[in-house]
Amino acid sequence: MGLHPLEFSECYLDNPCFREKIKAHEAELEKTNRFIKELYKDGKNLINATKQLGMAQRKFAQCLGEFHFEYIGDAKTDDERCIDESLQEFSSFLKNLEDQRELMMRNITETLMKPLEKFRKEQIGATERKKYDKETEKYYSSLEKLLNMSAKKKEPQLQEADVQVETLRQAFQGESLNYVCKLQDIQEKKKFECVEPMLAFFQTLFTFYHQGYELAKDFDHYKRALQINIQNTRSRFEGTRSEVAYLMKRFSETPQVYRQTSPISFEGYLYVQEKRPPPFGSSWVKRYCTFVKEQKILHMVTFDHRSGGKIGETESITLKSCLRKTTDMLDRRFCFDLEITDRPGTVLTVQALSEDDYKLWMQAMGGKEPVSQPLPFHHLPHSKERGIDAQLDDVGLNFMKYSISAIESRGINDQGLYRVGGVSSKVQKLLSLMIDEKSNEVDLSTSEDWDIKTITSALKLYLRYTHTHTLHGHYLFFFIFSVHCLVHKLPERNRQVLGLLMKHLANVAAHSKANLMTVANLGVVFGPTLMRPQEETVAAIMDLKFQNIVVEILIEHHEKIFADAPDLSPFTPAGLVLAAPTRQSKKQSRQSRPLAVYNPQVLDIPNADSPNLTADETSMGSNESVSSQSSSASTSELATDKTEHASLTASLSSDNDSRVTGRRAKAVYPCEAEHDSELSFQVGAIFSAVTQSREPGWLEGDLDGKRGLIPENYVEML
């Protein structure tokens, strides 16, 4: 398990789990910082102590071999695996050179030391952790001061105090957003900023050592592959960074819209009054509280950001009623009383952080105080291209066939095919014309009115806005199935369209020497089109790296995948055992982590009415020689990923007629609950009143008088 993504929505909740994830990121950066320092010291020893060259070189090699990068996400791509293993490869190479005692370290300072030290000082050393801690202290101190202020003070004084705290809150949350973005930025940069200098160092070594010439030739194939892997991770970083920046901007503009809420529970900080025996009075303790609505259970954990961030023990109570506390009864604002079922006669007084927070708590707990309608915490709907009504019908299928026929007959050898964007207005016009059932007389194969760039852009736009999505990724890592099996679970029309497209893309890749569109490049272009996220989160952005792999598999093996349906017996012809599902952790399922996200830098059609190029084309010229090798370089290692990531296409089907409503289900695998809202059960357990949950990949049902969440892939419907 790698590092958890830091969601921008958690910057506003600032919950204990969020702080723990921040500490994990900081610890990883500190580990990298120590690693670079150690590497720098060892490099100096190699330069200044040539008489002890053997000992220093072996220590340096050992340092490389023992270090492993941690990446954001649950699995690694081929590129990340190669980069992660690159340190071990470098270590092995150094040991071979030590055996020959021919190593020279003349250029180590310029090629390795300075870049690593620069990265350590300018990137890792500039995370602004002190500023973040300072803003945390300022905000929570001012908040406590505000909450302790007498409600009987004059209204202007109260308003002025509210404004001051609100200003500090905005500053704190803004700094939190920046700090989270900076942490993840550096975590991604280290994959190439730390490894690239090492690669440059080794390339320098090859020019100085005549005796090491044969070793350099043996290492050359790995060096070339690593260059491609580094370039791939750098390219993904650029796309991911823009997506994260855009997402952060949206969060900062409308934070309340994106606050993490659930129909099952509500959470946030409350100050709880703890009464003491006379004459000590009472004290107010800040606790992070989670209220499970259906069971009416309130979980409270003591946590103070200023005390080292240690999480205290969790206390749980069952709520009987919730009543507003007036300022006449208590000289504090935003207070309400909780009557506890399991402690008859006991009333717990708590204080919310603000008026809005108070209303949300009252509404969640069913308080008697009337509250205004809650803010819409749902996701904003994705915009749809105006004037386009794309359907997977006969008209749309014909449009695809006509387009593919025209592309293959007129432009199969065009450089940058599918990467070069057409004029937006012409693309819109062509697509609108072709999907109009009354306008089917256009012959794209001979018409000079429509150039290849316009046709390819219209085809991509059609696939992107088709109502029935070809791929989306909400069943992440549920089954170890082959892509072959999953494709044949698609509705017939979906499979027909996907097969037609993959056959065409395989033909495009076969002409890659002329058009420069290898299987890997086509995966970059069509991955975001065919695999769509269910929600916009950092986790979705970080999983962007996997979508290309699935598309590459579909292109390379389209003949086998789209042929006859596979044998679904326990042992497939390929010897693949269909294993029990691997369950997502509660955090992953809560965030509905999608497989991949749409990257506008790759596929967006230019808005200007001029033949502009897409973002991919602008960089393609300098990277053609590298990109054209990526398919062959990764093929040898792709087989492993195909097995590990075949489950990533489990959501190929977009059939919406299989929604579960009020049926019975039987458990086929045992499950241990990881959250109070989930059910624990053994094989054979029968669930009643089963319905589809709003949590992707989960059902809701009753078992032994309790209702809760059930992993969808752990049961079969009766």
Side-chain angles (χ1 to χ4, degrees):
M1 180 63 189
L3 296 172
H4 289 284
L6 299 174
E7 299 295 348
F8 292 125
S9 59
E10 293 180 314
C11 293
Y12 297 92
L13 288 175
D14 199 25
N15 58 39
C17 291
F18 172 64
R19 288 292 180 143
E20 288 296 313
K21 288 192 286 186
I22 283 184
K23 288 171 63 177
H25 277 258
E26 291 172 343
E28 167 60 17
L29 291 182
E30 180 58 29
K31 183 174 70 171
T32 304
N33 184 63
R34 293 195 304 268
F35 159 69
I36 294 175
K37 285 184 177 180
E38 184 71 14
L39 198 62
Y40 187 86
K41 182 186 69 174
D42 293 337
K44 284 293 185 180
N45 290 336
L46 291 175
I47 294 174
N48 300 324
T50 54
K51 292 182 180 180
Q52 300 179 358
L53 179 61
M55 179 181 65
Q57 181 172 295
R58 289 189 182 277
K59 184 178 180 183
F60 187 66
Q62 181 181 1
C63 182
L64 291 175
E66 292 178 351
F67 185 80
H68 296 271
F69 287 123
E70 293 289 346
Y71 302 126
I72 296 174
D74 300 315
K76 300 176 184 177
T77 63
D78 284 345
D79 297 325
E80 289 176 334
R81 184 179 294 106
C82 180
I83 289 174
D84 193 32
E85 294 172 353
S86 64
L87 301 184
Q88 285 71 43
E89 292 290 335
F90 295 150
S91 175
S92 176
F93 178 76
L94 276 179
K95 290 175 181 177
N96 289 334
L97 288 180
E98 166 58 21
D99 292 338
Q100 298 183 30
R101 296 190 181 277
E102 296 291 343
L103 186 62
M104 297 175 65
M105 310 289 283
R106 296 177 181 175
N107 292 333
I108 188 173
T109 300
E110 293 298 325
T111 59
L112 179 64
M113 297 308 175
K114 287 184 178 180
L116 285 180
E117 188 69 1
K118 181 179 179 181
F119 176 78
R120 186 181 71 84
K121 291 181 178 179
E122 296 181 1
Q123 297 295 325
I124 299 179
T127 56
E128 299 182 342
R129 176 178 178 179
K130 292 182 179 179
K131 186 176 180 182
Y132 176 63
D133 292 339
K134 182 179 179 181
E135 290 295 333
T136 300
E137 172 65 24
K138 286 170 61 177
Y139 167 63
Y140 283 107
S141 296
S142 63
L143 180 62
E144 289 187 354
K145 184 177 179 180
L146 173 68
L147 297 177
N148 284 312
M149 181 180 291
S150 172
K152 296 180 180 179
K153 288 184 176 293
K154 294 180 179 180
E155 188 61 22
Q157 292 179 304
L158 294 175
Q159 292 180 355
E160 181 180 0
D162 287 345
V163 170
Q164 291 177 348
V165 172
E166 177 63 15
T167 301
L168 291 174
R169 181 189 66 79
Q170 293 178 0
F172 161 68
Q173 292 177 346
E175 182 59 30
S176 182
L177 286 172
N178 291 331
Y179 187 57
V180 164
C181 188
K182 182 69 174 178
L183 283 178
Q184 297 189 127
D185 194 297
I186 297 174
Q187 296 286 19
E188 289 298 289
K189 278 187 176 181
K190 70 186 180 185
K191 289 187 284 189
F192 50 86
E193 292 286 1
C194 288
V195 179
E196 235 174 5
M198 298 176 199
L199 180 59
F201 162 62
F202 281 92
Q203 289 174 317
T204 302
L205 289 179
F206 300 152
T207 63
F208 285 97
Y209 307 130
H210 178 72
Q211 295 298 326
Y213 176 71
E214 291 298 326
L215 281 177
K217 286 201 304 183
D218 293 339
F219 194 79
D220 190 63
H221 74 284
Y222 184 81
K223 181 196 68 168
R224 292 180 181 275
L226 184 56
Q227 285 177 319
I228 296 170
N229 298 136
I230 293 174
Q231 180 60 40
N232 289 343
T233 59
R234 183 185 291 277
S235 299
R236 292 193 191 107
F237 167 74
E238 295 298 335
T240 301
R241 181 169 60 177
S242 63
E243 292 284 335
V244 170
Y246 173 70
L247 183 60
M248 184 181 73
K249 181 175 181 294
R250 292 184 60 180
F251 269 88
S252 63
E253 291 173 348
T254 55
Q256 288 298 329
V257 175
Y258 294 97
R259 175 172 173 176
Q260 290 184 339
T261 60
S262 166
I264 298 175
S265 63
F266 185 77
E267 58 183 304
Y269 281 102
L270 289 174
Y271 279 81
V272 181
Q273 185 183 36
E274 294 188 353
K275 298 180 180 179
R276 301 177 181 177
F280 299 106
S282 62
S283 62
W284 294 84
V285 179
K286 182 176 66 176
R287 293 188 173 185
Y288 194 83
C289 302
T290 302
F291 180 64
V292 183
K293 298 178 183 178
E294 188 167 344
Q295 286 84 25
K296 292 188 174 181
I297 297 177
L298 180 66
H299 303 285
M300 301 181 293
V301 56
T302 303
F303 182 80
D304 194 331
H305 305 80
R306 300 167 301 180
S307 62
K310 294 183 179 180
I311 301 177
E313 295 183 358
T314 300
E315 178 183 0
S316 300
I317 61 174
T318 303
L319 182 67
K320 181 178 181 182
S321 65
C322 175
L323 299 173
R324 182 175 73 90
K325 192 84 168 180
T326 64
T327 54
D328 294 335
M329 301 173 61
L330 182 66
D331 189 17
R332 290 175 77 97
R333 305 164 70 193
F334 322 134
C335 293
F336 48 97
D337 286 340
L338 305 179
E339 188 177 358
I340 304 173
T341 299
D342 41 7
R343 300 180 193 172
T346 301
V347 175
L348 191 65
T349 301
V350 297
Q351 182 181 28
L353 304 185
S354 65
E355 181 67 23
D356 289 340
D357 198 43
Y358 160 77
K359 291 178 180 179
L360 292 173
W361 277 109
M362 288 288 286
Q363 184 185 31
M365 293 182 171
K368 294 184 179 180
E369 173 75 5
V371 296
S372 59
Q373 292 297 324
L375 293 172
F377 287 114
H378 56 76
H379 287 283
L380 298 177
H382 293 287
S383 61
K384 180 181 176 183
E385 204 71 32
R386 295 181 180 179
I388 297 176
D389 185 21
Q391 302 284 347
L392 277 182
D393 52 15
D394 291 337
V395 176
L397 184 59
N398 287 335
F399 164 62
M400 285 191 63
K401 291 179 179 179
Y402 295 151
S403 299
I404 290 173
S405 176
I407 294 167
E408 293 188 350
S409 63
R410 296 170 52 196
I412 195 68
N413 292 321
D414 288 5
Q415 287 192 6
L417 189 65
Y418 283 110
R419 278 188 185 261
V420 180
V423 178
S424 179
S425 59
K426 293 184 66 176
V427 172
Q428 295 280 350
K429 182 178 179 181
L430 174 60
L431 185 56
S432 299
L433 183 65
M434 293 302 295
I435 65 177
D436 185 351
E437 295 185 21
K438 298 179 180 179
S439 302
N440 54 10
E441 69 279 1
V442 179
D443 187 357
L444 296 178
S445 297
T446 59
S447 176
E448 297 180 357
D449 296 333
W450 309 106
D451 57 28
I452 294 299
K453 291 185 294 186
T454 301
I455 298 174
T456 56
S457 297
L459 179 57
K460 288 192 297 185
L461 194 61
Y462 168 76
L463 291 171
R464 176 182 170 192
Y465 287 109
T466 300
H467 289 323
T468 305
H469 296 160
T470 308
L471 294 173
H472 50 60
H474 65 273
Y475 286 119
L476 194 60
F477 298 125
F478 268 8
F479 295 98
I480 310 300
F481 277 99
S482 67
V483 176
H484 192 189
C485 298
L486 298 173
V487 165
H488 285 271
K489 290 187 177 182
L490 280 168
E492 179 62 31
R493 179 54 58 87
N494 294 59
R495 186 169 66 252
Q496 183 182 6
V497 168
L498 188 60
L500 178 65
L501 178 63
M502 292 303 115
K503 181 180 179 181
H504 165 60
L505 295 183
N507 190 20
V508 172
H511 293 77
S512 60
K513 289 186 178 180
N515 59 36
L516 303 181
M517 295 304 293
T518 63
V519 172
N521 289 339
L522 291 170
V524 171
V525 172
F526 281 90
T529 296
L530 301 179
M531 307 185 71
R532 309 285 287 278
Q534 286 191 305
E535 63 177 358
E536 296 176 285
T537 64
V538 174
I541 295 173
M542 293 307 174
D543 278 330
L544 180 74
K545 56 195 176 185
F546 292 114
Q547 61 187 13
N548 305 354
I549 296 173
V550 177
V551 176
E552 289 180 32
I553 294 172
L554 291 171
I555 295 174
E556 289 183 339
H557 303 280
H558 72 281
E559 292 182 352
K560 179 179 180 180
I561 291 175
F562 293 95
D564 297 333
D567 181 8
L568 297 180
S569 60
F571 293 91
T572 66
L576 175 65
V577 179
L578 303 184
T582 301
R583 183 165 171 235
Q584 289 177 300
S585 71
K586 64 177 182 180
K587 190 60 178 177
Q588 292 167 340
S589 57
R590 291 294 173 273
Q591 294 176 339
S592 309
R593 296 186 60 180
L595 172 63
V597 300
Y598 168 67
N599 184 353
Q601 287 189 323
V602 176
L603 291 179
D604 270 354
I605 307 301
N607 293 325
D609 289 335
S610 60
N612 296 326
L613 304 182
T614 61
D616 276 313
E617 189 194 10
T618 61
S619 61
M620 187 172 63
S622 61
N623 298 327
E624 285 175 356
S625 61
V626 174
S627 300
S628 63
Q629 303 172 49
S630 59
S631 178
S632 60
S634 61
T635 300
S636 61
E637 298 179 2
L638 192 57
T640 302
D641 267 355
K642 289 174 183 176
T643 301
E644 294 178 359
H645 302 308
S647 63
L648 302 181
T649 57
S651 58
L652 287 170
S653 173
S654 54
D655 183 6
N656 295 319
D657 296 330
S658 61
R659 304 290 288 179
V660 180
T661 53
R663 296 173 57 188
R664 298 170 69 240
K666 179 181 178 180
V668 294
Y669 301 104
C671 175
E672 183 69 25
E674 298 179 3
H675 192 275
D676 293 332
S677 61
E678 301 171 14
L679 295 177
S680 296
F681 50 85
Q682 299 298 323
V683 175
I686 303 298
F687 306 93
S688 59
V690 178
T691 60
Q692 197 79 34
S693 172
R694 292 178 62 183
E695 299 276 355
W698 294 77
L699 305 173
E700 291 186 27
D702 295 334
L703 178 65
D704 298 333
K706 180 181 178 181
R707 187 168 184 81
L709 291 173
I710 311 163
E712 190 171 14
N713 60 315
Y714 274 56
V715 301
E716 62 181 9
M717 303 308 299
L718 299 178

